[in-house]
Amino acid sequence: MKKTEVAIVGAGPAGICAALEAASYGVEVTLIDRGEAPGGQLVKQTHKFFGWHEKSAGTRGIIIAQDLAKKAKEDPNIYFLGSTEALGYYQDDGVLLVETPDGIKGIKPERLVIAAGASEKMLLFPGNDLPGVYGAGAVQTLMNVYGVRPGQNVLMIGSGNIGLIVSYQLVQAGVHVEAVVEGLPQIGGYAVHASKIRRLGIPILTRHSIKEAYGGRYVEGAVIWEIDDNWQGIPGTEQDLKVDVVCLAVGLSPLCEFLWQAGAEMSYIPALGGFVPIYDENMETTLKGVYVAGDVASIEEASTAMAEGYLAGLAAAHSLGKVPEDEFKSKKQAYATELEQLRAGPTSEKIVSGLSVLREQIGKRVSL
Amino acid sequence: MMDDVLLTTGIPSREQIESRVPPKERREKGPFVVIECFQEIPCDPCYHSCRFGAIREFESINDIPEVDLDKCTGCGICVGSCPGLAIFVVDETFSETECLIALPYEFIPLPAKGGEVLLLNRAGEEVGKGKVHIVVPGKKPAGTSVIWVRAPKELSMEVRNVKVLTEGGARCE
């Protein structure tokens, strides 16, 4: 059975950064992803990132993905295992089971970092099983990875950053966006992203939702309507839109099945995206030696995912005795400060409240 | 504080826009930057892009940019640097009747210099016709292009997008 010092599940922004940090201390890392190449969701992010100028703000996600993948590839301590799915972790035996193109194999890692990301939420409405109803991630993959337009005329459901950004990218690809509908009274994403698509003439309808999608063999139209304070549709407010694509951007859930299976203690914290693992300031879960980073820990931006990845990689390397104590303390403080600053604005209030719930639960565990 | 209009419609309120309009004397002096960034988000590339120190140094990464209009030359470097595409430059001294507006542009093909454009406001509505004065292709890799358009002077604080009628055929990369 293959042995490795640190195995990392997921080679998105969090996983790659964890790998780079651990490898920089001479730790032997196995970086696992179901994709053929590292990059995760970054490979479809054609918009420019926010954050610090020094930390690739203003750079498009696709470029950040290329840079990170290149660094990981050139690092002799990082072994990338692509087209491979992690199936389960059995802590008693210390075995991580993976399915590679050559079959199912076991790996024995001394430390494990789970950076599995998130999955898209589905929405219930008649016709949601028709071809032409897409998740926003699929639309991005089609357009930005494979150069395929998903359709001609799109109804976007959800005005979070993903709904707004993907609407903009659709127009860049020459696709018409009929409208963005949002159930809440306010736009969910950044105001600058909303303004960008309004300038393109795309209406954003708050307090609206989809009533149904219809069509024979595929989506031929969709009906939207206003909703009341209880999220119930208001009869008489229906609008029939002749669209061939309904794109769902209604939120993400941490992809934490792996952590359930492994036996990590989980907690339901809606502000962080649903069920998340309980983890401490080193990003370590209740399973000793198992760390988390990125969307699996809380649904946030790629900038925070990267900082969490570096922190998890640092903590894993430190626990293997590879990082001098002083350096560990100062670098950990630097990453923590970076995360704190990224979350200091009003758009991060929800995340900060969710994280304080998480901290309370760790506190309770310690006092037990 | 954030105005509700921006968060319900995606379009800044009248008051928010007016807060970014320099005094008359400054407008008559030459080009000036208009930063339509009204929400505290973690982002600072505009500060680093300015070679003249016209955007004040940030204390927090979430600060809203503040402009020193005495230092701003209206060069337009910051327009292409903003990840939110929220920065514009307006020059009301271009001619008696026309102004120049610098806009971030991320569509291909890029417009042709001298080509005609439909002038669009913040809701994407057509408010007039203009001409492309200069096209500054984005820096590689995959930077944002900046196009300077000629527009009727009275539309200097209205026009924030264009629909290109004459394509230039030039690609971003």
Side-chain angles (χ1 to χ4, degrees):
Chain A
M1 194 173 292
K2 181 182 154 63
K3 287 185 179 169
T4 188
E5 287 181 305
V6 175
I8 298 173
V9 175
I16 301 177
C17 291
L20 291 171
E21 181 78 19
S24 73
Y25 290 100
V27 173
E28 175 201 299
V29 177
T30 304
L31 180 60
I32 301 158
D33 199 277
R34 66 177 175 195
E36 286 172 23
Q41 299 302 304
L42 283 178
V43 303
K44 28 180 144 156
Q45 309 306 329
T46 56
H47 63 284
K48 295 192 287 189
F49 276 46
F50 299 102
W52 282 277
H53 166 73
E54 299 83 358
K55 303 235 173 196
S56 62
T59 307
R60 296 184 195 279
I62 42 173
I63 308 289
I64 298 174
Q66 286 165 12
D67 291 348
L68 288 176
K70 188 166 172 275
K71 277 188 197 159
K73 204 177 167 186
E74 286 169 357
D75 195 315
N77 292 321
I78 299 175
Y79 172 69
F80 178 67
L81 193 55
S83 305
T84 295
E85 288 196 46
L87 301 176
Y89 179 63
Y90 305 90
Q91 203 184 28
D92 292 348
D93 308 316
V95 175
L96 171 70
L97 214 55
V98 297
E99 186 173 16
T100 72
D102 304 324
I104 292 176
K105 292 187 175 163
I107 297 173
K108 274 201 156 184
E110 291 177 43
R111 300 289 182 272
L112 183 60
V113 179
I114 305 298
S119 63
E120 288 181 279
K121 286 181 183 165
M122 188 56 184
L123 195 64
L124 283 176
F125 57 89
N128 72 355
D129 57 345
L130 282 170
V133 178
Y134 289 87
V139 166
Q140 279 193 311
T141 305
L142 278 176
M143 287 194 305
N144 303 348
V145 181
Y146 297 107
V148 175
R149 288 184 187 132
Q152 302 300 319
N153 200 10
V154 176
L155 169 65
M156 180 67 66
I157 314 292
S159 73
N161 276 334
I162 295 177
L164 300 173
I165 288 166
V166 174
S167 295
Y168 182 76
Q169 293 172 355
L170 280 159
V171 178
Q172 285 180 309
V175 179
H176 185 256
V177 179
E178 192 73 22
V180 175
V181 298
E182 168 61 56
L184 290 167
Q186 289 197 332
I187 292 164
Y190 288 168
V192 285
H193 282 318
S195 299
K196 231 163 74 174
I197 69 161
R198 288 307 314 271
R199 293 201 291 271
L200 297 171
I202 303 171
I204 303 174
L205 306 170
T206 52
R207 284 181 181 273
H208 276 72
S209 188
I210 183 167
K211 185 183 182 190
E212 62 168 334
Y214 61 85
R217 291 170 52 226
Y218 46 84
V219 172
E220 291 170 50
V223 179
I224 59 168
W225 58 355
E226 277 181 56
I227 55 173
D228 62 22
D229 291 340
N230 300 315
W231 290 72
Q232 299 302 307
I234 303 172
T237 62
E238 289 93 344
Q239 289 181 60
D240 190 348
L241 306 176
K242 294 291 170 216
V243 294
D244 60 352
V245 171
V246 175
C247 183
L248 301 177
V250 290
L252 300 170
S253 302
L255 204 54
C256 54
E257 287 83 353
F258 195 93
L259 289 152
W260 281 108
Q261 178 277 327
E265 255 186 67
M266 308 294 288
S267 179
Y268 186 72
I269 305 177
L272 299 183
F275 275 106
V276 290
I278 294 178
Y279 55 92
D280 67 12
E281 55 182 29
N282 289 330
M283 306 302 297
E284 191 172 11
T285 66
T286 55
L287 297 173
K288 196 144 181 54
V290 178
Y291 301 78
V292 288
D295 274 356
V296 75
S298 62
I299 303 294
E300 289 182 82
E301 301 293 318
S303 46
T304 45
M306 290 189 272
E308 285 182 347
Y310 286 122
L311 180 53
L314 177 75
H318 172 256
S319 75
L320 289 167
K322 301 284 181 102
V323 187
E325 205 59 38
D326 288 354
E327 187 169 340
F328 172 64
K329 273 187 190 155
S330 65
K331 274 187 105 173
K332 180 181 156 183
Q333 185 56 47
Y335 291 136
T337 305
E338 185 180 331
L339 282 164
E340 196 181 309
Q341 289 176 346
L342 283 170
R343 292 167 178 150
T347 52
S348 296
E349 275 168 13
K350 202 172 108 181
I351 290 293
V352 171
S353 74
L355 289 171
S356 72
V357 173
L358 185 74
R359 297 282 165 263
E360 275 170 32
Q361 303 200 353
I362 299 163
K364 276 182 204 152
R365 279 181 52 84
V366 172
S367 62
L368 286 173
Chain B
M1 272 312 289
M2 169 78 58
D3 200 303
D4 279 352
V5 179
L6 178 58
L7 277 191
T8 49
T9 66
I11 298 174
S13 70
R14 212 14 77 189
E15 296 75 45
Q16 283 174 326
I17 293 161
E18 275 164 15
S19 73
R20 298 294 189 268
V21 182
K24 191 164 171 286
E25 314 82 72
R26 179 61 185 84
R27 295 171 70 170
E28 288 169 352
K29 242 179 171 174
F32 56 88
V33 72
V34 179
I35 303 188
E36 300 194 4
C37 176
F38 303 102
Q39 185 182 36
E40 292 171 39
I41 57 174
C43 186
D44 72 359
C46 60
Y47 159 69
H48 291 276
S49 75
C50 184
R51 296 165 192 184
F52 304 99
I55 297 172
R56 292 202 183 95
E57 189 169 358
F58 288 26
E59 275 174 36
S60 152
I61 187 75
N62 287 284
D63 284 351
I64 288 173
E66 271 182 59
V67 179
D68 183 341
L69 283 164
D70 292 335
K71 290 182 181 166
C72 175
T73 64
C75 72
I77 286 287
C78 54
V79 176
S81 83
C82 173
L85 310 191
I87 305 184
F88 308 87
V89 168
V90 171
D91 182 2
E92 295 176 340
T93 63
F94 180 67
S95 80
E96 276 301 305
T97 55
E98 282 184 313
C99 64
L100 272 186
I101 305 170
L103 310 154
Y105 194 79
E106 295 188 330
F107 296 86
I108 50 171
L110 286 172
K113 193 179 165 184
E116 212 173 19
V117 290
L118 292 180
L119 303 170
L120 309 176
N121 64 13
R122 293 179 185 84
E125 297 156 346
E126 187 187 332
V127 290
K129 275 190 178 170
K131 277 206 166 118
V132 177
H133 187 62
I134 306 171
V135 177
V136 185
K139 272 194 286 183
K140 284 180 183 178
T144 301
S145 300
V146 176
I147 57 175
W148 294 73
V149 293
R150 283 160 55 180
K153 204 177 250 182
E154 65 274 15
L155 296 177
S156 67
M157 292 305 289
E158 294 299 318
V159 174
R160 289 298 176 262
N161 192 16
V162 291
K163 186 172 166 39
V164 173
L165 299 175
T166 324
E167 291 177 344
R171 300 244 156 194
C172 290
E173 296 188 65

